[in-house]
Amino acid sequence: MWNICLVGFGNVAQGLARILADKRERLAAKYGFGFRITSVVTARRGCLANDQGLDPAMLLEAMERDGGFWGCEGARMIDPLEAIKSPHTDILVETTPTSLVRGEPGLTHIRTALKAKKHVVTSNKGPLVRAMSELTALAEGSGVAFRYEGVIMSGTPALNLVRETLAGCDIQHVQGIVNGTTNFILTEMEKGKTYEEALAEAQRIGIAEADPTADVEGWDAAVKACIMAVLFMDATLELEDVERTGITEVSPEMIQTALSRGKRIKLVAEVYREKDRVKALVAPVAVPLTRPLAGIMGAMNAITYTTDHLGDITIVGPGAGRIETGQALLSDLLAIHRAYGRGEHPSRSPF
Amino acid sequence: MWNICLVGFGNVAQGLARILADKRERLAAKYGFGFRITSVVTARRGCLANDQGLDPAMLLEAMERDGGFWGCEGARMIDPLEAIKSPHTDILVETTPTSLVRGEPGLTHIRTALKAKKHVVTSNKGPLVRAMSELTALAEGSGVAFRYEGVIMSGTPALNLVRETLAGCDIQHVQGIVNGTTNFILTEMEKGKTYEEALAEAQRIGIAEADPTADVEGWDAAVKACIMAVLFMDATLELEDVERTGITEVSPEMIQTALSRGKRIKLVAEVYREKDRVKALVAPVAVPLTRPLAGIMGAMNAITYTTDHLGDITIVGPGAGRIETGQALLSDLLAIHRAYGRGEHPSRSPF
């Protein structure tokens, strides 16, 4: 039975709560995974704690009401660091809003958890780009897991694919479409829209923000390139080291010219070795139509890993979404259960 | 330190030996994985055993010579079942030639190993289609691992992707191009060749056999569909339950007609639920060009998994090859090391 502390309860944590509410029995039967949500801490919508476990369906209902958890019995202010260090916490699920500049407040939450020998699962990019090496070393020193599948393509297993299923291969080159908003805009522009029209459409349907800078200037993709460089190529890159060009200068004419030459313009995040250095860059690239990445349209994401033993391996899937990112957190929880769980056969059929 | 017994030393085991010879230090440094090949048993090319470990590079050199291991010091006949049950064996790597009819001799080897509480890694489809449930139950009862990543797409992680990285998702539908030979033939036919010309070309470059029945009649794909149905959907299908149509009746005209309608004909293996039954079938299908599978050309393979939490997840990669299948065996060995290895931090950076 795993005791879970949720810090942050926005879309992503709600996606996880939805799955946990719907699949409690199935997760127990299929994986032997049992859980109790012993605390949930938010900055403005109240906090709850119960050593016997909070019902995830009840937490979701509370969020439908004004005031959130404040309307629930027992609601009170809880210091997130106290909840994290509590003996009733085994795993911290950290999903507070991301700050790429300082990584806070997630960084302090995660650091505190790892020092207190709590496992950590997160989808928060800020702490990773700011302190991945420090946090990885802390987890090693404490003998606990630090997992973050959701930071690249939500539940599409971009990281664990390499970490677990491609173990033994070395990654020589990574090329990915890791931002759905810009891929959607480029797809709409191919159909005849101008950049401005395509952006407006993306904003209308809710996949671009009112201020689209982080997406269209390539910052979001650069964060992911940076994380992949550190993870897959042992690089010591900072976010500022990523060469970055967005899509604001791409014109419908450039897209049509590329197509007439058998290529499609994609905003690509790329990581590779050049002599003794690891390079990470984000830029609009004309990808030959014969490559899997060229066929990825709309808000879909994909990454091609070039490996020594297998050549190119490509994974295609969604890159965002509430249930999708909830699935990322769940897959990390189940990985912790596999590695650290007791009292069950690791050989038990895992499908 | 894992003691490995190799039964069978053809292309696939040689692919593994090549990787183990080249990466011993890297596997130790990156994963803490140490190994000794304590025995290697073949039917016609001799056998060797050494409790201190046989050098994989030496084994590969011996295979270059007439007589194989018979030219090596200490070569002798070894009963494979004795080698498997030896106290100097922790893991059996079973790669004898596949028989889909009876599953032997692999089935007896694997059964013996699991009963003797040895972990088993294999790329041998025969024992799986004949006795998957029995072998899975044996492994559970003995508390050991039974792994077989290589049976679907060689080292492309078709199984472990679902088993590990998509844990928590339920698989609703599987559609895959899991036979490279037929996909190559269909690709050549799209370029203007007749079926006979395309088959001859495939035979010339060595990706089709002199008797191509297993590929072109869909048997190979049917075996894989059967394995996926059992694994992903808890079905109790036999190979004979798979509805199977090959590509021998596909004409260049059918291919061009499909293209003119925005579709491409692919030999597809499909598994899904229909009411209370699990259906598995293999057939040429006109796949819309908007789907990732339609873009898979030549000898490449791909599978699209439709899941409850993530919608469609597609993996693309090679489906055959010596090093590629060696990598499948290696990834299974490393998975066993992760789950059963002692004396190392599971949280250690795994990339």
Side-chain angles (χ1 to χ4, degrees), chain A:
Chain A
M1 187 67 72
W2 294 97
N3 294 317
I4 295 174
C5 164
L6 301 174
V7 176
F9 199 70
N11 257 327
V12 168
Q14 290 177 38
L16 175 63
R18 180 78 268 153
I19 297 174
L20 292 177
D22 294 345
K23 285 207 177 174
R24 184 188 288 271
E25 286 74 26
R26 181 144 179 81
L27 294 172
K30 194 168 174 186
Y31 305 101
F33 177 80
F35 69 91
R36 268 191 297 253
I37 299 174
T38 47
S39 57
V40 51
V41 178
T42 76
R44 275 178 287 276
R45 310 207 67 199
C47 309
L48 292 169
N50 185 334
D51 302 348
Q52 302 307 308
L54 299 155
D55 176 15
M58 178 277 288
L59 298 179
L60 290 166
E61 281 160 29
M63 281 293 126
E64 303 282 308
R65 298 190 299 263
D66 285 348
F69 300 136
W70 287 121
C72 301
E73 198 186 316
R76 56 190 169 97
M77 283 303 297
I78 300 178
D79 176 352
L81 303 187
E82 292 309 311
I84 290 165
K85 290 189 284 188
S86 157
H88 299 292
T89 293
D90 299 321
I91 306 177
L92 164 65
V93 175
E94 216 292 338
T95 58
T96 60
T98 284
S99 157
L100 296 180
V101 182
R102 293 184 49 245
E104 295 294 358
L107 181 50
T108 297
H109 296 159
I110 294 172
R111 197 183 268 141
T112 301
L114 295 174
K115 283 185 183 161
K117 299 192 194 302
K118 313 294 187 182
H119 303 291
V120 174
V121 168
T122 188
S123 59
N124 190 340
K125 301 179 198 68
L128 278 173
V129 289
R130 285 303 151 211
M132 179 141 51
S133 310
E134 178 208 329
L135 297 175
T136 303
L138 264 180
E140 268 192 53
S142 291
V144 294
F146 173 42
R147 298 189 70 111
Y148 35 81
E149 176 62 75
V151 298
I152 305 292
M153 302 212 295
S154 75
T156 304
L159 297 184
N160 292 335
L161 179 80
V162 177
R163 185 182 182 122
E164 272 143 26
T165 69
L166 296 178
C169 280
D170 284 300
I171 305 292
Q172 300 166 326
H173 194 120
V174 181
Q175 191 182 45
I177 295 170
V178 291
N179 181 272
T181 307
T182 47
N183 203 54
F184 175 86
I185 292 172
L186 293 173
T187 300
E188 291 298 301
M189 288 173 72
E190 185 177 323
K191 296 183 195 160
K193 289 198 176 73
T194 63
Y195 169 75
E196 289 74 19
E197 289 165 351
L199 172 59
E201 172 68 7
Q203 287 168 325
R204 193 184 65 77
I205 65 172
I207 66 169
E209 316 221 11
D211 175 1
T213 311
D215 291 322
V216 300
E217 298 286 2
W219 282 109
D220 175 67
V223 166
K224 294 166 179 174
C226 182
I227 293 171
M228 293 195 289
V230 176
L231 284 181
F232 300 148
M233 299 200 176
D234 292 325
T236 49
L237 284 190
E238 305 285 330
L239 180 53
E240 294 69 20
D241 298 327
V242 181
E243 276 181 41
R244 183 183 46 76
T245 310
I247 61 162
T248 54
E249 304 296 316
V250 176
S251 68
E253 294 69 36
M254 291 159 69
I255 291 173
Q256 293 305 325
T257 303
L259 277 175
S260 71
R261 291 173 185 158
K263 296 179 177 180
R264 186 172 271 138
I265 294 180
K266 292 293 183 191
L267 185 70
V268 156
E270 214 162 345
V271 180
Y272 55 96
R273 267 177 229 287
E274 198 179 58
K275 294 174 190 158
D276 287 347
R277 282 183 53 220
V278 171
K279 285 200 68 169
L281 59 90
V282 171
V285 168
V287 180
L289 290 173
T290 50
R291 304 207 57 183
L293 288 193
I296 307 304
M297 306 303 278
M300 287 293 273
N301 281 198
I303 297 180
T304 298
Y305 299 98
T306 305
T307 70
D308 54 350
H309 298 155
L310 299 172
D312 285 356
I313 297 287
T314 301
I315 179 129
V316 183
R322 177 179 152 125
I323 290 293
E324 289 81 351
T325 312
Q327 163 62 29
L329 298 171
L330 176 65
S331 78
D332 282 341
L333 290 173
L334 292 172
I336 290 172
H337 178 60
R338 274 200 305 278
Y340 298 84
R342 272 144 300 180
E344 43 108 34
H345 261 313
S347 67
R348 162 199 215 137
S349 174
F351 283 99

Side-chain angles (χ1 to χ4, degrees), chain A residues 23 26 144 170 308 347, chain B residues 23 26 144 170 308 327 347:
Chain A
K23 285 207 177 174
R26 181 144 179 81
V144 294
D170 284 300
D308 54 350
S347 67
Chain B
K23 286 208 177 173
R26 182 148 178 78
V144 294
D170 285 300
D308 54 350
Q327 162 62 29
S347 68

Side-chain angles (χ1 to χ4, degrees), chain B residues 127-196:
Chain B
L128 278 174
V129 290
R130 286 302 150 211
M132 179 143 48
S133 309
E134 178 207 332
L135 297 174
T136 303
L138 265 180
E140 266 193 56
S142 291
V144 294
F146 174 43
R147 298 189 69 110
Y148 34 81
E149 177 62 73
V151 297
I152 306 290
M153 302 213 296
S154 75
T156 304
L159 298 185
N160 292 335
L161 179 79
V162 177
R163 186 182 180 120
E164 273 144 24
T165 70
L166 295 180
C169 281
D170 285 300
I171 305 293
Q172 300 167 327
H173 193 120
V174 181
Q175 190 182 45
I177 295 170
V178 292
N179 181 272
T181 306
T182 46
N183 203 53
F184 175 86
I185 292 172
L186 293 173
T187 301
E188 291 298 301
M189 288 172 71
E190 183 176 325
K191 295 182 194 161
K193 289 197 176 74
T194 63
Y195 169 76
E196 289 73 19

